[in-house]
């Protein structure tokens, strides 16, 4: 095992004012003995981007469980969720949210009409202009 200490800057939206300009030490344990420390720090940073992506899939797009255990089934479901995300972004012009996803699901299942959907999108745009 190998221990690497990486200086990180906390995310500005997390941790409040006390962290402005501050750095922290992050300790990473790895069994990659022949890889430079800088590369391991980058790998760790990208790992968290992947974790955030899957959190987004699970929480915003409602993809909490897999419909298939077959690799092709998982691939199809993931592509469908990403297409949903892109369509929401194209329709609203904003980053997809759980509420917008739910509203589109209600619209496509007949529980909401076109007027409800348009009102929701207009509210999103009015919140942006404030």
């Amino acid at each position: 095992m190998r221990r690497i200490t990486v200086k990180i800057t906390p995310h500005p939206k997390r941790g409040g004012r006390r962290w402005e300009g501050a750095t922290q030490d992050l300790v990473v344990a790895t069994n990659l003995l022949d890889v430079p420390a800088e590369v391991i720090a980058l790998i760790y940073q990208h790992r968290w981007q992947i974790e955030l992506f899957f959190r987004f899939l699970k929480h915003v797009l409602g993809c909490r469980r897999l419909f298939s255990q077959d690799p092709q089934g998982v691939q199809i479901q993931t592509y469908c969720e990403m297409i949903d995300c892109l369509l929401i972004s194209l329709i609203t012009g904003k980053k997809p949210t759980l509420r917008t996803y739910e509203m589109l699901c209600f619209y496509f299942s007949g529980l909401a009409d076109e007027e409800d959907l348009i009102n929701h999108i207009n509210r999103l745009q009015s919140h942006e202009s404030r």
Side-chain angles (χ1 to χ4, degrees), residues 43-60:
I43 289 171
Y44 192 79
Q45 179 182 4
H46 290 295
R47 175 185 172 258
W48 280 110
Q49 292 299 319
I50 293 167
E51 293 287 337
L52 289 174
F53 171 74
F54 281 107
R55 182 185 184 281
F56 173 78
L57 276 180
K58 289 168 69 176
H59 293 281
V60 175

Side-chain angles (χ1 to χ4, degrees), residues 50-120:
I50 293 167
E51 293 287 337
L52 289 174
F53 171 74
F54 281 107
R55 182 185 184 281
F56 173 78
L57 276 180
K58 289 168 69 176
H59 293 281
V60 175
L61 298 180
C63 185
R64 288 190 170 89
R65 63 183 148 270
L66 298 173
F67 298 127
S68 172
Q69 298 300 318
D70 180 58
Q72 288 180 326
V74 173
Q75 186 178 23
I76 289 170
Q77 184 178 354
T78 305
Y79 283 144
C80 287
E81 295 296 336
M82 286 193 275
I83 290 169
D84 285 348
C85 178
L86 291 171
L87 288 174
I88 291 171
S89 182
L90 286 172
I91 289 169
T92 63
K94 300 186 150 307
K95 184 174 97 172
T97 63
L98 178 58
R99 181 68 184 120
T100 303
Y101 178 73
E102 289 172 344
M103 181 55 79
L104 285 169
C105 289
F106 292 153
Y107 173 71
F108 290 127
S109 64
L111 297 172
D113 59 10
E114 187 175 345
E115 182 180 340
D116 295 330
L117 181 60
I118 291 171
N119 286 338
H120 174 75

